């Protein structure tokens, strides 16, 4: 998985804050969010185009603008980790954009964006707002078939490598180089980068750059379900979020690894059940060949065999219960 991203525009845009959030769902589609905050001065015309290179994106992939999701005080509090004192529309309709009024920080104007999806590239078109307060912001959700991370499978564990690179020009791909030249684009400067990785709590964060780590906390499940209702349903208190931050650089690199144990309770129980079953088959053979005629077979069964059969039934019921919970 190539996780090198580039943000380009014709105008000299400085991204005040870039938000990247990954949602990891094993054996299901994963998601990644991109949010960009910038100044109103970035608009030199009535429209503003921003290109985002996403290597794994395909033309038919699902990419959604999150204006509607953020135009809700509970959702915005969940995303921006700040109390929202009020929300107002910037036009006659909420679909034109919304202004979020926070307690303890400047207001933020959320804009809608038109999204053009092509292989390896997203193009965002934003209209200049008639009214705004504070900086401007837009956010999108990208659905991906598979994991966002680089997955290394082993016998005892799987390793998920999140190697995110943003605006690293020394490895500029050929297609981005030609796009930059042909469209007369420039790479946008990023002032602050915020990155969140959400993974199941049976994943272990095995490597984190401590200089960029802000905190690790439990995912607020109910708030997440309200914010992204279309995303896979998850159980309560079963996901962790790691929060990374970096700032003041021309390019950024965030490297994190998680490990998932593949030999767990289910596998151990299955091995024990298989062992008991094989032993019972040999036991049944010995009983069957030595059974006395005219007497009921289960009365002649030794108590050791009855215990083994009982344990086998309990283990099978336990494995069935684990499967239903998943």
């Amino acid at each position: 998985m190539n996780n090198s991203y580039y943000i380009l525009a014709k105008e000299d845009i400085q991204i005040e804050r870039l938000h990247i959030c990954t949602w990891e769902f094993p054996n299901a589609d994963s998601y990644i969010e991109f949010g960009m905050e910038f100044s109103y001065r970035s608009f030199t015309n009535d429209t503003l185009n921003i290109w985002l290179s996403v290597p794994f994106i395909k033309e038919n992939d699902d990419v959604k603008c999150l204006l509607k999701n953020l135009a809700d005080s509970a959702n915005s509090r969940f995303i921006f980790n700040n109390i929202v004192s009020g929300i107002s529309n910037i036009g006659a309709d909420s679909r034109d954009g919304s202004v979020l009024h926070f307690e303890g920080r400047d207001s933020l104007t959320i804009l809608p964006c038109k999204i053009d999806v092509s292989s390896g590239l997203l193009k965002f078109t934003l209209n200049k707002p008639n009214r705004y307060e504070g900086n401007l912001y837009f956010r999108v959700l990208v659905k991906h078939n598979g994991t966002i991370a680089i997955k290394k499978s082993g016998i005892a564990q799987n390793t998920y490598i999140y190697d995110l690179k943003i605006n690293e020009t020394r490895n500029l791909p050929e297609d981005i180089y030609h796009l930059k030249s042909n469209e007369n684009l420039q790479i946008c400067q990023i002032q602050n980068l915020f990155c969140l990785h959400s993974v199941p709590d049976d994943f272990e964060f095995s490597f984190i750059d401590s200089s960029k780590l802000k905190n690790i906390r439990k995912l607020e499940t109910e708030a997440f379900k309200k914010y992204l209702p279309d995303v896979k349903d998850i159980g309560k208190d079963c996901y962790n979020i790691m929060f990374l931050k970096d700032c003041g650089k021309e390019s950024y690199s965030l490297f994190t690894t998680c490990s998932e144990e593949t030999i767990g309770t289910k596998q151990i129980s299955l091995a024990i059940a298989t062992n008991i079953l094989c032993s019972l088959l040999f036991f049944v053979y010995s009983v069957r060949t030595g059974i006395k005629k005219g007497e009921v077979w289960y009365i002649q069964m030794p108590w050791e065999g009855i215990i083994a059969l009982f344990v086998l039934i309990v283990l099978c019921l336990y494995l069935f219960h684990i499967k239903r919970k998943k």
Side-chain angles (χ1 to χ4, degrees):
M1 169 68 70
N2 184 354
N3 277 317
S4 296
Y5 306 100
Y6 299 89
I7 304 173
L8 306 100
K10 291 186 177 181
E11 295 80 2
D12 183 17
I13 299 176
Q14 177 172 282
I15 307 295
E16 297 288 340
R17 291 183 179 88
L18 172 64
H19 294 149
I20 299 177
C21 185
T22 66
W23 303 96
E24 189 68 56
F25 300 105
N27 306 317
D29 294 328
S30 296
Y31 295 81
I32 184 169
E33 292 179 79
F34 297 96
M36 301 184 200
E37 179 182 338
F38 53 95
S39 169
Y40 179 80
R41 293 190 299 272
S42 300
F43 275 96
T44 57
N45 298 303
D46 290 335
T47 60
L48 177 66
N49 293 318
I50 298 176
W51 285 259
L52 173 63
S53 169
V54 183
F56 56 79
I57 202 78
K58 298 180 179 62
E59 285 192 24
N60 296 324
D61 280 359
D62 185 15
V63 184
K64 177 183 177 182
C65 175
L66 295 176
L67 166 65
K68 183 178 178 181
N69 303 61
L70 292 175
D72 177 275
S73 58
N75 290 342
S76 291
R77 182 173 64 248
F78 172 66
I79 291 300
F80 298 108
N81 196 28
N82 208 306
I83 298 174
V84 180
S85 58
I87 298 177
S88 58
N89 296 335
I90 64 174
D93 195 291
S94 60
R95 289 171 290 187
D96 296 330
S98 300
V99 177
L100 305 181
H101 305 278
F102 296 100
E103 291 185 9
R105 61 163 287 183
D106 293 338
S107 299
L108 194 63
T109 301
I110 312 297
L111 297 180
C113 65
K114 177 187 174 185
I115 306 169
D116 293 319
V117 183
S118 58
S119 180
L121 194 67
L122 298 175
K123 180 184 177 183
F124 308 115
T125 302
L126 301 104
N127 294 322
K128 188 175 183 178
N130 296 323
R131 185 178 76 85
Y132 76 98
E133 291 185 40
N135 283 334
L136 311 179
Y137 186 86
F138 73 97
R139 192 177 181 104
V140 298
L141 176 71
V142 179
K143 182 179 179 181
H144 178 58
N145 181 18
T147 176
I148 301 295
I150 302 169
K151 184 179 179 181
K152 301 290 185 180
S153 299
I155 297 175
Q157 69 176 18
N158 295 327
T159 301
Y160 293 81
I161 303 172
Y162 294 93
D163 186 14
L164 273 61
K165 303 180 183 70
I166 298 93
N167 287 351
E168 254 194 16
T169 54
R170 65 184 180 87
N171 293 321
L172 195 66
E174 283 290 319
D175 56 339
I176 301 303
Y177 171 78
H178 291 301
L179 173 70
K180 183 174 178 291
S181 301
N182 296 338
E183 298 286 343
N184 194 26
L185 305 179
Q186 52 187 318
I187 293 177
C188 300
Q189 183 181 355
I190 302 168
Q191 190 63 33
N192 295 281
L193 171 64
F194 300 84
C195 179
L196 291 92
H197 294 303
S198 178
V199 297
D201 60 3
D202 57 357
F203 281 29
E204 179 183 349
F205 292 111
S206 47
F207 177 81
I208 306 171
D209 188 342
S210 58
S211 65
K212 300 170 186 175
L213 177 65
K214 300 300 291 182
N215 60 52
I216 298 176
R217 55 184 174 82
K218 278 287 182 185
L219 174 66
E220 300 171 39
T221 309
E222 295 305 317
F224 168 77
K225 289 179 179 179
K226 187 175 186 301
Y227 170 59
L228 293 178
D230 298 333
V231 175
K232 172 181 161 59
D233 190 26
I234 59 176
K236 187 177 181 180
D237 298 330
C238 64
Y239 267 71
N240 293 328
I241 288 185
M242 179 185 59
F243 178 26
L244 303 168
K245 180 182 177 182
D246 203 0
C247 61
K249 297 178 180 177
E250 290 187 2
S251 63
Y252 295 88
S253 179
L254 299 175
F255 187 88
T256 307
T257 62
C258 301
S259 58
E260 173 195 22
E261 296 292 336
T262 55
I263 299 179
T265 305
K266 182 179 179 180
Q267 288 75 19
I268 293 173
S269 300
L270 185 61
I272 294 172
T274 303
N275 182 271
I276 293 175
L277 178 61
C278 292
S279 300
L280 276 174
L281 290 174
F282 286 110
F283 167 76
V284 169
Y285 172 76
S286 63
V287 171
R288 182 170 54 82
T289 54
I291 195 169
K292 296 178 182 179
K293 294 183 179 180
E295 296 185 20
V296 182
W297 66 270
Y298 56 81
I299 295 179
Q300 301 180 56
M301 181 178 290
W303 61 270
E304 294 90 347
I306 295 174
I307 292 174
L309 183 61
F310 175 75
V311 172
L312 178 63
I313 293 171
V314 170
L315 281 172
C316 290
L317 291 173
Y318 176 67
L319 290 171
F320 178 73
H321 176 68
I322 290 177
K323 185 176 181 181
R324 286 193 64 184
K325 282 182 69 176
K326 288 182 177 290

